[in-house]
C-alpha cells in the first residue's frame, strides 16, 4: 500500500511513519508549511520541519515539504480572527483538520497516487465489511477523536491512524527503541500560529480593533465595570472577571459584540442542560441521526462525555444533555458519539449562541433559559 504520512515533527507522527515502514508499506513523508510567521508551539516551526526531515532520513523514506500557507491563512487564520471579532471562540485545530489535513492534503495524496493518508492522531479507524468508523484512541488521556469528529465516510476510507491502538507511553517507548530524535519531544499544546511572547491578545490586536465593553450583571442588570478587549473574552470565562457583590465568583454568560456588553453571572448561570448547534456545520459520519435519538456528547477536547438526546425542528438542531454542563462557548466543536457504543463517533457540529427570541441575553431571563428550550425548537 502506498501511504503518505503527515509528519509534523512530533513523536506521534514519527512513530506512525515508522510503524508503516515496519509493516512493509511504501511510505512517503510530508510536512506542511502552514504558517510563515513566528511560532514556538512545537508545530509548524522551522525546527519541526527539520525534525520531520531527519526522522524520515532515519527511516529511509522520501520526505516532502508542501507549502499550504495561503490555504491555511484563508481557511484557518482569517476565520479565527473573524470569529473573535464576532464574539465567538473558535477551535483552529479542528478547522485545520477540516480544511487542510483531511481536505487539501488528502486530496493531494490521492492525486499523487497514494492509497491513503496517515497521521499521528490518537484515534482509530475500524474497518470491516461495512462502513469505516472513527473510534476513540486506546489512550483515553490522549484521545483525539474529538478533533477528528467532522470526518466523513469518504475521508475515513482514505485515512489510517497507526498510533491509535497505542498509549502515549508506548509511542515514546517505540521511538526510543528506534532512536528517533523526536522520542522525548514535548507535545504541542498551543495554537501554532500564536507566539507565546505575544499571546492571543497580541496576535489579535495586530489584526483587528479591540474594544472595551460594559460588564453587566445578569440578574440585576446593573453595570459592574468594564473590560478592555471584549474580543478576547469567551463564554464561561472566570479569569479577570472578578467577584460579585456577594463575594462569589463571576463568570461570563454572554458576549454581545454589537452592544459592546459582556454579561456575567454566578456559577449557576453558566450551566445549562441544552446546547444549540449551528445547522450549517452539522456533519454526520454515515447519514443524519434522528430527532430524539440518544447520543453521547463531548463538549471540549478533554471534556468528560455526557449522555444527550438530539432535538431537531425545521432548521434548528440542539442536544438536550442528561445533566447541566458548563455553557459551551459559541464557535466550539461539539462531538457526538453512539449511545450504544460510546467510543464510536457519529458526527459533530459547532455550538451556536441564540436566545429564544433570537436576541442577546437579558437580565430578566432565568439561568439556562438563554440557551434553548424545547418550545423554542418547535416552529
Amino acid at each position: 500500500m502506498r501511504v503518505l504520512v503527515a509528519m509534523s515533527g512530533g513523536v506521534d507522527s514519527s512513530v506512525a511513519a515508522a510503524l508503516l515502514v515496519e509493516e512493509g508499506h511504501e511510505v512517503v513523508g510530508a510536512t506542511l508549511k502552514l504558517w510563515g510567521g513566528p511560532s514556538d508551539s512545537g508545530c509548524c516551526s522551522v525546527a519541526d520541519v527539520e525534525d520531520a526531515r531527519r526522522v524520515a532520513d532515519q527511516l529511509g523514506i522520501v520526505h516532502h515539504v508542501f507549502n499550504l500557507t495561503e490555504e491555511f491563512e484563508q481557511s484557518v487564520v482569517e476565520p479565527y480572527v473573524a470569529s473573535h471579532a464576532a464574539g465567538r471562540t473558535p477551535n483552529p485545530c479542528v478547522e485545520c483538520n477540516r480544511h487542510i489535513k483531511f481536505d487539501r492534503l488528502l486530496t493531494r495524496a490521492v492525486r499523487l497516487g497514494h492509497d491513503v493518508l496517515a497521521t499521528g492522531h490518537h484515534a482509530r479507524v475500524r474497518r470491516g465489511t461495512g462502513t469505516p468508523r472513527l473510534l476513540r484512541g486506546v489512550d483515553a488521556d490522549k484521545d483525539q477523536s474529538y478533533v477528528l469528529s467532522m470526518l466523513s465516510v469518504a475521508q475515513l476510507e482514505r485515512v489510517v491512524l497507526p498510533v491509535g491502538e497505542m498509549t502515549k507511553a508506548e509511542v515514546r517507548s517505540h521511538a526510543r527503541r528506534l532512536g528517533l530524535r523526536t522520542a522525548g519531544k514535548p507535545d504541542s499544546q498551543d495554537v501554532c500560529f500564536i507566539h507565546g511572547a505575544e499571546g492571543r491578545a497580541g496576535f489579535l490586536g495586530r489584526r483587528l480593533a479591540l474594544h472595551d465593553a460594559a460588564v453587566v450583571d445578569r440578574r440585576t442588570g446593573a453595570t459592574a465595570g468594564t473590560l478592555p478587549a471584549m474580543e478576547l473574552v469567551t463564554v464561561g470565562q472566570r479569569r479577570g472577571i472578578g467577584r460579585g457583590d456577594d463575594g462569589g465568583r463571576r463568570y461570563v454568560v454572554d458576549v454581545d459584540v454589537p452592544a459592546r456588553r459582556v454579561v456575567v453571572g454566578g456559577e449557576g448561570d453558566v450551566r445549562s442542560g441544552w446546547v444549540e448547534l449551528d445547522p450549517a456545520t452539522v456533519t454526520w459520519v454515515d447519514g443524519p441521526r434522528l430527532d430524539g435519538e440518544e447520543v453521547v456528547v463531548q463538549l471540549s477536547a478533554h471534556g468528560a462525555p455526557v449522555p444527550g438526546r438530539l432535538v431537531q425542528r425545521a432548521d434548528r438542531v440542539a442536544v438536550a444533555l442528561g445533566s447541566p454542563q458548563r455553557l459551551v462557548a459559541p464557535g466550539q466543536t461539539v462531538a457526538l458519539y453512539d449511545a450504544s457504543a460510546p467510543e464510536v463517533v457519529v458526527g459533530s457540529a459547532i455550538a451556536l449562541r441564540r436566545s429564544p427570541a433570537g436576541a442577546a441575553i437579558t437580565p430578566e431571563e432565568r439561568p439556562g433559559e438563554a440557551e434553548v428550550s424545547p418550545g423554542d425548537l418547535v416552529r
Side-chain angles (χ1 to χ4, degrees):
M1 182 169 63
R2 299 195 69 207
V3 185
L4 183 70
V5 183
M7 300 181 68
S8 66
V11 65
D12 293 317
S13 59
S14 298
V15 170
L19 292 171
L20 291 163
V21 170
E22 291 169 358
E23 291 173 5
H25 300 293
E26 183 181 342
V27 179
V28 173
T31 301
L32 300 181
K33 177 176 172 53
L34 300 176
W35 179 239
S39 174
D40 62 352
S41 70
C43 178
C44 303
S45 70
V46 173
D48 298 318
V49 175
E50 179 62 14
D51 283 342
R53 184 190 66 78
R54 294 183 65 176
V55 167
D57 286 345
Q58 286 180 268
L59 298 176
I61 64 175
V62 173
H63 177 255
H64 300 295
V65 177
F66 296 150
N67 189 332
L68 297 179
T69 53
E70 183 176 344
E71 294 89 339
F72 186 73
E73 176 74 26
Q74 293 174 351
S75 299
V76 179
V77 179
E78 290 178 2
Y80 176 86
V81 175
S83 290
H84 278 285
R88 298 188 297 271
T89 305
N91 190 320
C93 294
V94 171
E95 297 311 307
C96 182
N97 286 331
R98 188 195 311 273
H99 297 290
I100 304 299
K101 293 187 178 74
F102 298 96
D103 185 355
R104 268 57 163 210
L105 181 59
L106 179 56
T107 298
R108 181 173 294 192
V110 174
R111 191 172 65 243
L112 293 175
H114 299 283
D115 299 304
V116 294
L117 171 69
T119 73
H121 286 98
H122 280 264
R124 294 172 289 161
V125 179
R126 175 183 291 166
R127 291 181 171 85
T129 56
T131 301
R133 298 285 186 174
L134 179 68
L135 278 66
R136 292 186 181 278
V138 166
D139 190 333
D141 292 333
K142 295 296 181 180
D143 170 50
Q144 293 177 297
S145 60
Y146 171 88
V147 298
L148 302 180
S149 58
M150 81 299 297
L151 294 180
S152 66
V153 167
Q155 291 168 315
L156 291 174
E157 288 174 340
R158 292 277 193 173
V159 170
V160 293
L161 306 172
V163 303
E165 299 285 350
M166 306 171 71
T167 65
K168 188 72 176 197
E170 290 170 338
V171 170
R172 292 198 182 278
S173 177
H174 196 82
R176 285 192 295 270
R177 284 198 300 273
L178 294 176
L180 301 183
R181 62 185 283 110
T182 55
K185 189 173 182 178
D187 293 340
S188 174
Q189 298 291 336
D190 301 312
V191 178
C192 68
F193 52 84
I194 295 181
H195 195 282
E198 69 170 3
R200 187 167 55 109
F203 177 82
L204 290 172
R206 290 190 289 104
R207 288 183 169 243
L208 57 82
L210 301 178
H211 302 92
D212 59 3
V215 177
V216 177
D217 186 277
R218 176 189 176 92
R219 294 178 179 273
T220 67
T223 300
T226 60
L227 287 172
M230 68 180 304
E231 291 81 4
L232 303 179
V233 177
T234 186
V235 168
Q237 178 179 326
R238 180 174 65 84
R239 180 176 295 181
I241 305 303
R243 294 181 178 270
D245 293 339
D246 60 357
R249 292 174 173 174
R250 295 189 303 184
Y251 301 80
V252 174
V253 178
D254 185 55
V255 179
D256 187 343
V257 170
R260 290 178 63 170
R261 181 176 68 166
V262 174
V263 180
V264 300
E267 185 171 3
D269 297 315
V270 289
R271 300 182 73 82
S272 175
W274 288 84
V275 180
E276 188 167 2
L277 308 177
D278 183 350
T281 67
V282 176
T283 62
W284 302 110
V285 173
D286 60 345
R289 298 283 158 154
L290 302 176
D291 174 50
E293 187 166 344
E294 302 293 329
V295 291
V296 172
V297 187
Q298 188 164 326
L299 302 174
S300 64
H302 302 292
V306 295
R309 176 175 51 83
L310 290 172
V311 181
Q312 303 185 68
R313 299 289 187 275
D315 63 342
R316 308 290 292 279
V317 183
V319 179
L321 303 173
S323 59
Q325 302 293 316
R326 182 68 63 87
L327 290 179
V328 181
Q332 286 289 288
T333 293
V334 176
L336 304 172
Y337 297 77
D338 194 316
S340 60
E343 64 178 0
V344 179
V345 175
V346 297
S348 73
I350 293 176
L352 180 69
R353 182 68 180 178
R354 178 162 57 184
S355 69
I361 287 177
T362 62
E364 292 77 19
E365 288 176 317
R366 295 179 60 83
E369 290 181 0
E371 284 304 290
V372 62
S373 66
D376 178 43
L377 288 164
V378 177
R379 288 187 172 183

